[in-house]
Every structure is written in C-alpha cells, then in structure tokens.
Amino acid sequence: MTRTDWPAGRGDRAAFTRTHGEERAARFLTAFHEGDPVGDALFTADVPRAALMRQLRSALRAGEAAPGDAPQVAAFLDDMRAAVSDADWEQIERGRRVYLSIPVLTHSVALGPGSLVNTYSSPAISTVLVGTGRLVDGALRRLIDTRNWNYHLYAAGALEPGGGGFEHTGMVRAMHAYARAQHLERHPDTGEWGLPINAIDMLRTWFDFTYIPYRGLAAMGYDLTEEQIRDVYGMWQVVGRLLGIPADLLAGLDDHESSEPMVQAVAAVAGKPDDGSRALVDALVGATAAQLALVLGLPEGPLVERTQAQIRIIHGDELADWLAIPRTSMQVAELLQVPVVRQRYDFLRQLPAELEREIATNEAMLTHLLAATEDGKSAYETAPAGEETAA
C-alpha cells in the first residue's frame, strides 16, 4: 500500500469528501500514514533499547536530555519541550481545577465506561490491542495504567518539563511508538487501516479524554460552563502536543462545539465495533467492576450491571448495542441521581469557599489514588525497555 491509497477499512473516500470536504479528506489521507517521527526514531536507533529507555526516562524526569544521551533521546526531549514552550499555564491551572471540582471516582466512570469504551470501539485500535494478547487478559492492569497516567496530569505543575505529567506522557508516547513498531513487524500490510496508531487514531484517542468524557460527565449531571470547557480543552491541547499529535490536527479544537465537525469526521473513518472491540469492552467491564468491588467492598455482579448502565448513559443505545452491552434496570437508578448531582454541582460553583474545600478534598483523593496505582509496573514504563511483552 502506498501513502496515496485510502485504507480499505476507512470507508469510501468519495463519500467522506462529499460530507467533510476535499481539504479534510486530503489531510486525513496523509494522517492515515503518519506516525510520530520523533517517537518512532527511538526504536530505529543503534543504541540497545533498554539503555535508550533508561536515558529517556532520566531525561523526561529531568526535563531535558543529558549531554551524553543518544541523539534520538535529545530530539524527543526537544520536541516535548517545544510542546509546552508557549503553554498558557494559567489556563492549564484552571483546567486542572475544573477536573478537581468533580470527584475523582466520578472521573473514573468517565474514563473507563466513557473514554476507554470509545477507544476500544474502533477496530483500527482494537486490532492492534487484541493482537498483543494482553489487553483482554490483563484488562485490570491496563485500566490501572491508564488511570495512573491520567492522575499524573493533574498534580500542580505536572506538565512543566520534569513534572510527573510531562514524564509519564513522554513514556506513553514512547509506548505508542514501540507498539507501532512491533505491530508493523508482525503485520506490515497497512492496507486495511493505515499505519497502526496513526495520527487520526491518536486524534480520536485525544477526543476520548476531552469530548467523550466531559459530555459523559454532563450526562451524569456535571454540566460545565463554556469557560470551564475551554479551559479543559486548553490543557489537553498541551497534552496532545506532548503525545506527538500533529499541531495542525489539534488547531481550533477549543471546546465541544468547535470540535464537533472533526469528531464527526473521525467517527466516519473509525469503523464499526468488531469482535475485538467487544472482547476488549467486555474485559473492561469486568475489570472496572472488580476494581470497584475491592474499593467499595461490594459484590461484583451489581457493579457489572452498573458499569453496563453507565456505558449506555454515556454513549447511547446505538454504540452500546454494537458492543453487545445488555440493557439493565440499573440504568434507571443511575439516571434518577442526575438531577441531584446537577443541582449540587450548580450550588457548589456559587459558593467559593465550598468549592475550594471540594477541590482540596478531591486533590487529596487524587494523591492517594496516585500512590495506590504507582507501582512502576505499567506497560508504558516496562514494555518499551524490553522488561515485558508490549501491550
């Protein structure tokens, strides 16, 4: 397959062009074959991979490459630093506070039943993930890994060079490059979906941490103001650049409304959920229930039904049906809570002292949960260095 071919799994180019325009179609065609050159270079270097990853981790932690580091590590750090060079740190702090105004365990719902379900629903992604054999069998581990990375983003100063969010996002980016290289080695034909974990796949995943979860939170009663939404997107613009998503694809995606045309365009080429998608989501439901059972001391059965209900509330019946998520009476109980949650959140924003207490409480919980998930065994920390099979 050449870089001028529209991947077969992405639907009909002519139909896409009629709906979304030739300019966007041309950019998507390029993006289907676009990885992350700076990240990909890490896995074509002559330096032994384990040594290179040690250099990378130390450089990310320091916020800059050391004089003796490999050129690929230095280039990676230069790109990471460039991503935050013009960041609006005041907006990032406001975005962080928006996150902390909502209970962290509620964000876990938006992350698991929200973000990850949408990620797994695209066969372009599920093909790569199921091919490793680990996301289905190790779903709880992968859920912990994603939460651990996400928690790192919301500490004060996390995205500054050397901060925990900067460091861990760099490792996630390296993990994507490693997974891309490994998948291409096993499956060099890119005719179906384009390059694995390509720029469009990454942009879709970016929406899984912006558009998808915050619309899901609104469905659960957390209606953010337009200013709050813009602050969230402003923070994630920086995270997106740190992840290596091309800046022109992120340009102008400042809130739900401005993102809608791109969301629809990305959805048009994502493909319908396949058996791999359903296997991943089924494993995720079980992992989410198992983790909640441990935290809450409750039986897993009702928590499975609750997670299934949350998927239907966040994503709607069409996607839930594609994913074979059963309908459950628990959905009614979940929806009955929404007016109470909405009223409380509205009142909270009108009471500055109470809002500050809420933020402090949620930040303390975030710190606790980060410590609980920080064991150094995440796939993005271990696999690129050759310490375990890639996820």
Side-chain angles (χ1 to χ4, degrees):
M1 184 182 190
T2 71
R3 295 176 68 89
T4 59
D5 293 328
W6 188 271
R10 301 292 185 171
D12 180 64
R13 176 176 177 171
F16 181 92
T17 302
R18 285 194 297 272
T19 302
H20 302 285
E22 175 55 36
E23 182 178 355
R24 182 157 284 168
R27 181 62 184 98
F28 271 43
L29 177 57
T30 300
F32 290 141
H33 304 281
E34 185 176 359
D36 173 15
V38 175
D40 294 338
L42 293 170
F43 301 99
T44 59
D46 294 332
V47 182
R49 183 155 51 91
L52 195 76
M53 288 300 103
R54 284 195 296 270
Q55 287 183 15
L56 179 63
R57 188 66 184 271
S58 295
L60 288 167
R61 190 174 290 127
E64 60 184 356
D69 284 345
Q72 294 86 351
V73 170
F76 190 93
L77 264 292
D78 285 346
D79 192 79
M80 293 281 290
R81 290 177 64 88
V84 301
S85 62
D86 59 352
D88 183 341
W89 296 108
E90 291 183 358
Q91 184 179 49
I92 288 172
E93 175 60 17
R94 292 196 303 270
R96 188 180 84 91
R97 286 172 56 82
V98 172
Y99 178 94
L100 293 171
S101 71
I102 298 170
V104 179
L105 292 179
T106 301
H107 279 293
S108 294
V109 174
L111 176 65
S115 302
L116 293 179
V117 165
N118 199 64
T119 299
Y120 297 163
S121 68
S122 170
I125 298 293
S126 68
T127 298
V128 176
L129 299 180
V130 173
T132 69
R134 293 184 71 252
L135 262 190
V136 173
D137 298 334
L140 181 55
R141 178 73 245 180
R142 306 289 72 78
L143 180 60
I144 291 171
D145 289 355
T146 306
R147 285 178 177 164
N148 178 254
W149 167 63
N150 203 49
Y151 294 155
H152 273 287
L153 301 177
Y154 292 100
L159 299 183
E160 297 174 10
F166 182 92
E167 175 191 350
H168 282 256
T169 301
M171 293 304 295
V172 169
R173 180 176 178 178
M175 176 68 200
H176 290 154
Y178 177 65
R180 187 181 304 114
Q182 291 291 295
H183 191 78
L184 280 172
E185 186 176 315
R186 295 190 298 266
H187 309 286
D189 184 359
T190 59
E192 185 71 10
W193 299 106
L195 199 67
I197 318 180
N198 60 54
I200 294 302
D201 295 332
M202 285 301 301
L203 181 60
R204 185 176 185 275
T205 300
W206 186 81
F207 283 129
D208 290 344
F209 291 93
T210 50
Y211 183 90
I212 296 297
Y214 282 93
R215 285 175 63 91
L217 286 166
M220 291 185 282
Y222 294 93
D223 291 314
L224 302 186
T225 65
E226 292 182 6
E227 182 181 2
Q228 285 179 306
I229 289 291
R230 285 194 295 271
D231 287 339
V232 166
Y233 273 77
M235 175 180 170
W236 274 89
Q237 280 279 338
V238 175
V239 177
R241 281 289 294 112
L242 287 171
L243 286 168
I245 301 173
D248 69 305
L249 290 178
L250 292 169
L253 306 179
D254 300 321
D255 52 28
H256 292 335
E257 183 177 0
S258 60
S259 295
E260 188 67 38
M262 185 66 91
V263 169
Q264 295 305 319
V266 170
V269 298
K272 297 296 185 184
D274 62 2
D275 288 343
S277 301
R278 285 182 278 275
L280 287 165
V281 170
D282 184 62
L284 174 67
V285 169
T288 301
Q291 191 173 49
L292 283 172
L294 288 173
V295 173
L296 302 175
L298 296 174
E300 287 187 27
L303 294 173
V304 167
E305 291 188 11
R306 182 172 183 250
T307 303
Q308 292 166 339
Q310 290 164 340
I311 290 172
R312 284 194 172 271
I313 291 170
I314 293 171
H315 297 286
D317 288 334
E318 182 178 1
L319 179 59
D321 287 343
W322 273 101
L323 292 169
I325 299 297
R327 297 170 187 265
T328 169
S329 59
M330 191 74 74
Q331 186 171 344
V332 176
E334 289 291 304
L335 288 171
L336 286 174
Q337 302 176 46
V338 172
V340 177
V341 171
R342 180 173 290 119
Q343 185 179 53
R344 180 184 182 276
Y345 193 60
D346 286 343
F347 281 149
L348 192 64
R349 285 179 296 191
Q350 298 171 36
L351 302 168
E354 291 300 319
L355 178 59
E356 289 304 316
R357 275 192 284 272
E358 184 81 0
I359 288 173
T361 297
N362 292 334
E363 188 163 25
M365 175 61 76
L366 180 74
T367 301
H368 171 75
L369 290 173
L370 182 56
T373 57
E374 183 78 341
D375 60 7
K377 297 179 181 179
S378 66
Y380 66 80
E381 294 177 273
T382 57
E387 296 174 24
E388 62 174 37
T389 305

